[in-house]
Each structure stands twice: as structure tokens, then as C-alpha cells.
Amino acid sequence: MSIAAIISLCLTAGLFIISSLFKIAGKLRLGIPLIYLLIAVVSTFFTRWTTEHEQLVLMGLYIVIGLTALSWIISLIKTIRRRRDEKYLEDDVAWQIQRAREMGIPLDKIQFNGQGDLLDPRTGEPVVYGQATSFKDI
């Protein structure tokens, strides 16, 4: 095998590995810390400043990773809230359908309005939140 083929194979494998790292880092929101780490590693080989100020470089890396972890926590909180809201909506819809069955309303053409109220297919009026429903004061 010629030296050019070996160099080409090594470059291709290296670029594939770097590409895979960035894809994984993008999915995990670690793109910026990965870029920071690559810059810090590359600059270590070329300048004395990085080796002399290693604590500062590591502090910057820790800050970037901390911000990434903070974004994970925020995303987790948003996901929990979204799932809780979806569960609430599902429970509300099931309750409205049960209530409509109890009231003898045909459920062959169920429709909901923008506020999430079940509409009576005969009149187009909200079923559960209409005049026949009494509410307790909150």
C-alpha cells in the first residue's frame, strides 16, 4: 500500500470520527463544550499561554459544561410540564365524554371548540359547561 493511500485512509477515518462526535454532541447539546475542548487541546500544542493558564482554561470549560447542564434541566422541566398538561387535557376530555354519556347526548360526531369544551352535535353548544352544570365557588 502506498503512503498516499494510508494518509487518505487516516484522514477519512479521522473526519468520520470527528463528524460522529459532533452529531452525538449536537443531540446531547454538547456542541459548544466540544468545540471549546477541541480549541483548548489544539491550542495546548501551539502556545505556552494555555499551559501556563491551565486553571483558567479548565474554569471556562466547567462554565460551559455547567451551562449545558442547566439547559438540560430546563428542558427536563419543560418536558415534565408538557406531559402533565397533556395528561390533564386527556383526563378532562375523558371526563367530558363520560358526562355527555350520562346526559344522553349522542357521541357519534364528537367535536371540541377552541377552549376544549365538548360540543353537542345537535345544538353546537358546550355540553358540560352549559347551563345545566353547576359549579362550586373556588
Side-chain angles (χ1 to χ4, degrees), residues 78-131:
K78 286 181 179 179
T79 301
I80 290 170
R81 284 183 182 166
R82 187 181 70 243
R83 287 189 180 165
R84 186 179 57 203
D85 291 345
E86 288 172 359
K87 176 75 171 125
Y88 171 75
L89 183 63
E90 288 173 9
D91 290 345
D92 185 48
V93 167
W95 179 78
Q96 289 186 59
I97 291 173
Q98 176 193 4
R99 185 88 167 138
R101 279 190 187 126
E102 291 171 359
M103 296 170 69
I105 296 173
L107 299 175
D108 54 346
K109 295 181 180 177
I110 296 177
Q111 290 184 353
F112 290 88
N113 64 8
Q115 290 79 29
D117 300 332
L118 178 67
L119 301 176
D120 188 338
R122 300 169 293 189
T123 63
E125 295 295 319
V127 173
V128 177
Y129 302 114
Q131 296 174 351

Side-chain angles (χ1 to χ4, degrees), residues 22-129:
F22 275 104
K23 283 183 181 181
I24 293 169
K27 294 289 182 183
L28 297 174
R29 293 189 197 160
L30 291 172
I32 294 174
L34 180 64
I35 291 171
Y36 184 86
L37 186 64
L38 289 176
I39 289 171
V41 168
V42 169
S43 66
T44 302
F45 295 118
F46 297 115
T47 65
R48 283 189 338 202
W49 184 90
T50 306
T51 55
E52 292 172 359
H53 299 92
E54 185 177 345
Q55 293 295 328
L56 184 62
V57 172
L58 289 176
M59 183 62 70
L61 180 62
Y62 298 147
I63 290 171
V64 170
I65 290 174
L67 290 174
T68 302
L70 182 66
S71 80
W72 286 350
I73 292 168
I74 291 170
S75 295
L76 180 64
I77 290 169
K78 286 181 179 179
T79 301
I80 290 170
R81 284 183 182 166
R82 187 181 70 243
R83 287 189 180 165
R84 186 179 57 203
D85 291 345
E86 288 172 359
K87 176 75 171 125
Y88 171 75
L89 183 63
E90 288 173 9
D91 290 345
D92 185 48
V93 167
W95 179 78
Q96 289 186 59
I97 291 173
Q98 176 193 4
R99 185 88 167 138
R101 279 190 187 126
E102 291 171 359
M103 296 170 69
I105 296 173
L107 299 175
D108 54 346
K109 295 181 180 177
I110 296 177
Q111 290 184 353
F112 290 88
N113 64 8
Q115 290 79 29
D117 300 332
L118 178 67
L119 301 176
D120 188 338
R122 300 169 293 189
T123 63
E125 295 295 319
V127 173
V128 177
Y129 302 114

